[in-house]
C-alpha cells in the first residue's frame, strides 16, 4: 500500500497542475506516470487509475490485486489494496495582466483573431468553471503607439487638467491647454488615450501627484498637420491662413485659432489619430468583463512596446492610478504580466518637419526620446523596454513574453531577456503555436500542492 501511495503521489504531482482537461484526459496522462512508478507484475496486478475533479480538488484512486502466500492456503489467493490521493489547487491568489499588441500589422495572416482565440482560451483555463473567483484577477492592456485609459479616467484626478506638465501643449502655441482645444472642436472629445509622462516617470509606477505636473498624464491630442509643405496624413482642418501666406509649416501646425468652433469631417483622422484602440481593462475577477475586452481588440497603429509594458505594470501596482492590485509584499498573491508583440519598436518615420507620426512620445523635434534622429529614437524605445523589464521584475512580478510571427532577431532577443527566465519566453511563428504558448503559460500559473 505504501508503494501504491507513492505511485499515486507521483501521478498526482505530474497531472495535478494540468488544468482545462477532462477527467478522461487526465486519467490517461496519470495512468502513464502511475505505471512508470508501479511496475506491472512486481507488486501485484493493478486496476485502472481513476480521477475526479471536484471543486478545485483532484482525487486520484488506484487499486492493486496482490497474490498471497500464507492466507492462500485458507482460500484467499489474492487481496485488494486500495489508495487515494487528493491534489488541491493552491489557494494562493493570482493577479495577471495581458499586454497585447494591437498594432496595424496584427491585421495580416489572421493574427488578430488568432490572438483573441488564444487569449480567450487562456482565460477559460484560469477561470475554470468559475465566473467570479475570489482570488483571481485579470487585466488587459491593448497597446499600439499609445494606450487608451478610457474617457472616464479624467475624473480620477490624475490627468493634467491645469496644463502644468513640462510637456503639456508642446505642439502648439506656448501656454496652450489642450483641454481647451477639445472644447473648441464641436464634434470631438477626448477618448481616453494619453501621452507618456516625461522621463523618468514614463519608466516607473510612481504615484501621480498634483504637486508634480510631470507625474500626471497629458491627454492625447494629435495636431491638425499642415495643408502643404510635406507629406502629412493627419490633416483634418484648414490651416487658417490666407492662400498666399508664407507661414511656415511649424507655424501652421501650432496655430490654435483654427480649432475655434471647428468641425472635423473625418471619422478616422483627428485629435485621436494614432490611438484608435480600445481602453484598458483594470484588474477584475469578472470573467465576462475580461472576455469582452479581448473580443474588442483591434489592429491599428505603430508598435511602442515600453508604453504597453509600463501600463501593464501600473495595472498590477498597488499605487494610483489603478489600485486594484494587492501590495507587492503580499505573499499570498502572485503577480504576472504576459507581454505579446508581433513587431519591433517603430516610430513611423515621415518626410516632413515632424520627422515621424504623432505618438505618445509626441513628435521627433521635441526630443521626448532624447534625440531628433528617427533611428536613434527607435533604439531608445528598445532601451526603455529593457529598463522597464528590469524595473518590473525587481518588484517580483513574473514576466512572460511572446513574439508572434516576428522574424526580427533583435526584438526576439529583447523579449527573451525581458522574461523572468528564458523558459518563460515563447516564439510563436504560427497561430497554433500561439495557442500552445498561452496554454503553457496558463498551466505554469496554476500551482498545486498535495493535501493528503
Amino acid at each position: 500500500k505504501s508503494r501504491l501511495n507513492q505511485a499515486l503521489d507521483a501521478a498526482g504531482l505530474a497531472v495535478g497542475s494540468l488544468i482545462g482537461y477532462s477527467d478522461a484526459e487526465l486519467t490517461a496522462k496519470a495512468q502513464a506516470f502511475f505505471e512508470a512508478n508501479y511496475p506491472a507484475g512486481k507488486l501485484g496486478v493493478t486496476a485502472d487509475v481513476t480521477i475526479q475533479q471536484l471543486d478545485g480538488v483532484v482525487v486520484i484512486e488506484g487499486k492493486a490485486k496482490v497474490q498471497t502466500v500464507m492466507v492462500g492456503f485458507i482460500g484467499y489467493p489474492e487481496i485488494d489494496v486500495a489508495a487515494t490521493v487528493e491534489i488541491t489547487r493552491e489557494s494562493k491568489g493570482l493577479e495577471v495582466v495581458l499586454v497585447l499588441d494591437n498594432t496595424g500589422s496584427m491585421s495580416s495572416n489572421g493574427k488578430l483573431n488568432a490572438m483573441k482565440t488564444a487569449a480567450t482560451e487562456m482565460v477559460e483555463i484560469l477561470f475554470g468553471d468559475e465566473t467570479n473567483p475570489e482570488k483571481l484577477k485579470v487585466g488587459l492592456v491593448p497597446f499600439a503607439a499609445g494606450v487608451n485609459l478610457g474617457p472616464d479616467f479624467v475624473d480620477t484626478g490624475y490627468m493634467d487638467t491645469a496644463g502644468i506638465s513640462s510637456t503639456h501643449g508642446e505642439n502648439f502655441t506656448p501656454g496652450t491647454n489642450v483641454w481647451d482645444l477639445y472644447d473648441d472642436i464641436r464634434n470631438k472629445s477626448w477618448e481616453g488615450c494619453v501621452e507618456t509622462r516625461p522621463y523618468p516617470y514614463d519608466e516607473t509606477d510612481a504615484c501621480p501627484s498634483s504637486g508634480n505636473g510631470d507625474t500626471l498624464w497629458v491627454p492625447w491630442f494629435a495636431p491638425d498637420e499642415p495643408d502643404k509643405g510635406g507629406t502629412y496624413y493627419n490633416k483634418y482642418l484648414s490651416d487658417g491662413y490666407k492662400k498666399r501666406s508664407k507661414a511656415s509649416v511649424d507655424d501652421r501646425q501650432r496655430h490654435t485659432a483654427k480649432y475655434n468652433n471647428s468641425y472635423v469631417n473625418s471619422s478616422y483622422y483627428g485629435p485621436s489619430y494614432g490611438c484608435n484602440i480600445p481602453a484598458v481593462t483594470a484588474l477584475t475577477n469578472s470573467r465576462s468583463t475580461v472576455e469582452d475586452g479581448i473580443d474588442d481588440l483591434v489592429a491599428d497603429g505603430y508598435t511602442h512596446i515600453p508604453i504597453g509594458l509600463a501600463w501593464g505594470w501600473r495595472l498590477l501596482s498597488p499605487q494610483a492610478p489603478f489600485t486594484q492590485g494587492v501590495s507587492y509584499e503580499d505573499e499570498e498573491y502572485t503577480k504576472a504580466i504576459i507581454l505579446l508583440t508581433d513587431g519591433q519598436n517603430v516610430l513611423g518615420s515621415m518626410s516632413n518637419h515632424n520627422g515621424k507620426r504623432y505618438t505618445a512620445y509626441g513628435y521627433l523635434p521635441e526630443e521626448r526620446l532624447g534625440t531628433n534622429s528617427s533611428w536613434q529614437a527607435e533604439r531608445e524605445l528598445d532601451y526603455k523596454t529593457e529598463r522597464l523589464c528590469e524595473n518590473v521584475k525587481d518588484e517580483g512580478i513574473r514576466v512572460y513574453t511572446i513574439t508572434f510571427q516576428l522574424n526580427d532577431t533583435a526584438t526576439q532577443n529583447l523579449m527573451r531577456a525581458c522574461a523572468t527566465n528564458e523558459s518563460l519566453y515563447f516564439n510563436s511563428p504560427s497561430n497554433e503555436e500561439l495557442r500552445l504558448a498561452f496554454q503553457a503559460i496558463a498551466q505554469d500559473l496554476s500551482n498545486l500542492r498535495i493535501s493528503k
Side-chain angles (χ1 to χ4, degrees):
K1 185 171 184 177
S2 174
R3 287 298 305 276
L4 186 62
N5 267 309
Q6 291 173 13
L8 288 175
D9 284 348
L13 286 172
V15 304
S17 61
L18 302 177
I19 56 179
Y21 291 88
S22 67
D23 290 348
E25 290 170 328
L26 282 184
T27 297
K29 294 178 181 293
Q31 187 73 42
F33 283 96
F34 177 83
E35 292 173 354
N37 288 276
Y38 199 94
K42 293 186 178 180
L43 295 165
V45 180
T46 61
D48 289 338
V49 173
T50 61
I51 288 182
Q52 286 183 301
Q53 301 178 82
L54 302 169
D55 297 326
V57 178
V58 179
V59 180
I60 306 179
E61 296 181 318
K63 295 180 180 179
K65 290 185 178 296
V66 181
Q67 293 181 341
T68 63
V69 180
M70 297 300 294
V71 294
F73 293 111
I74 57 174
Y76 294 97
E78 59 184 22
I79 59 174
D80 292 331
V81 179
T84 301
V85 169
E86 289 184 7
I87 306 296
T88 303
R89 286 193 172 91
E90 191 175 350
S91 59
K92 189 173 183 179
L94 172 64
E95 295 178 343
V96 57
V97 175
L98 288 77
V99 180
L100 303 180
D101 193 323
N102 271 226
T103 55
S105 56
M106 288 293 293
S107 63
S108 63
N109 301 324
K111 288 189 287 186
L112 181 65
N113 286 334
M115 182 177 69
K116 288 183 179 183
T117 298
T120 300
E121 289 179 353
M122 176 185 159
V123 170
E124 291 173 351
I125 293 174
L126 291 177
F127 278 81
D129 296 331
E130 298 183 86
T131 55
N132 300 94
E134 181 181 356
K135 290 192 174 183
L136 172 65
K137 289 179 281 186
V138 179
L140 177 66
V141 176
F143 75 92
V147 164
N148 187 345
L149 306 181
D152 291 340
F153 191 79
V154 70
D155 298 322
T156 62
Y158 304 128
M159 293 296 297
D160 181 24
T161 56
I164 59 176
S165 169
S166 62
T167 59
H168 195 117
E170 66 182 3
N171 299 306
F172 303 97
T173 304
T176 297
N177 187 318
V178 295
W179 295 106
D180 294 336
L181 301 183
Y182 272 115
D183 290 340
D184 288 341
I185 302 176
R186 287 179 289 163
N187 66 326
K188 295 291 181 180
S189 59
W190 180 63
E191 297 180 2
C193 290
V194 293
E195 294 186 354
T196 62
R197 299 191 290 190
Y199 179 81
Y201 301 110
D202 61 327
E203 298 178 12
T204 74
D205 69 336
C207 189
S209 168
S210 59
N212 182 350
D214 283 356
T215 66
L216 304 175
W217 281 276
V218 174
W220 182 287
F221 194 107
D224 168 65
E225 296 177 334
D227 293 337
K228 61 180 183 179
T231 303
Y232 296 99
Y233 285 92
N234 194 33
K235 299 183 290 187
Y236 53 91
L237 295 175
S238 169
D239 285 348
Y241 287 93
K242 293 181 179 180
K243 188 174 182 180
R244 296 182 180 180
S245 172
K246 295 183 179 180
S248 69
V249 289
D250 192 51
D251 287 340
R252 289 173 177 272
Q253 183 167 285
R254 293 180 179 275
H255 188 50
T256 57
K258 60 183 171 181
Y259 296 98
N260 187 37
N261 200 34
S262 62
Y263 189 94
V264 179
N265 291 315
S266 174
S267 60
Y268 183 69
Y269 299 103
S272 294
Y273 178 65
C275 192
N276 300 303
I277 57 176
V280 303
T281 300
L283 286 175
T284 177
N285 70 338
S286 169
R287 176 175 179 165
S288 61
T289 300
V290 176
E291 291 181 340
D292 287 346
I294 293 172
D295 189 55
D296 289 341
L297 298 179
V298 298
D300 189 76
Y302 290 90
T303 304
H304 283 16
I305 299 171
I307 293 175
L309 181 55
W311 280 107
W313 179 14
R314 291 175 191 135
L315 259 63
L316 284 174
S317 173
Q319 302 183 132
F322 293 95
T323 57
Q324 292 84 1
V326 300
S327 167
Y328 292 126
E329 286 72 38
D330 191 335
E331 296 182 356
E332 291 300 312
Y333 272 80
T334 296
K335 292 177 181 282
I337 286 177
I338 302 167
L339 171 63
L340 178 149
T341 184
D342 80 324
Q344 62 265 48
N345 283 310
V346 64
L347 293 172
S349 300
M350 300 296 295
S351 57
N352 58 43
H353 84 290
N354 292 319
K356 70 174 184 65
R357 300 189 187 227
Y358 173 84
T359 73
Y361 283 100
Y363 287 119
L364 268 178
E366 306 303 332
E367 299 190 7
R368 295 273 290 276
L369 288 165
T371 177
N372 59 11
S373 163
S374 180
W375 74 268
Q376 288 180 347
E378 288 181 344
R379 192 69 187 100
E380 179 60 22
L381 288 176
D382 289 343
Y383 294 143
K384 284 186 176 294
T385 303
E386 291 175 356
R387 293 192 292 265
L388 270 161
C389 289
E390 296 308 310
N391 292 343
V392 169
K393 289 185 287 188
D394 285 346
E395 293 291 1
I397 298 172
R398 191 169 180 82
V399 179
Y400 302 82
T401 56
I402 302 172
T403 48
F404 183 29
Q405 295 188 28
L406 173 64
N407 295 321
D408 183 67
T409 302
T411 304
Q412 289 176 349
N413 291 336
L414 179 64
M415 292 295 96
R416 181 182 290 106
C418 183
T420 295
N421 58 62
E422 190 166 342
S423 69
L424 303 188
Y425 164 69
F426 300 84
N427 184 36
S428 305
S430 73
N431 294 348
E432 177 59 25
E433 286 173 306
L434 181 67
R435 291 181 66 246
L436 296 176
F438 270 104
Q439 290 176 12
I441 293 170
Q443 300 294 346
D444 190 61
L445 288 171
S446 302
N447 297 319
L448 303 172
R449 61 180 173 84
I450 290 183
S451 61
K452 286 187 180 181

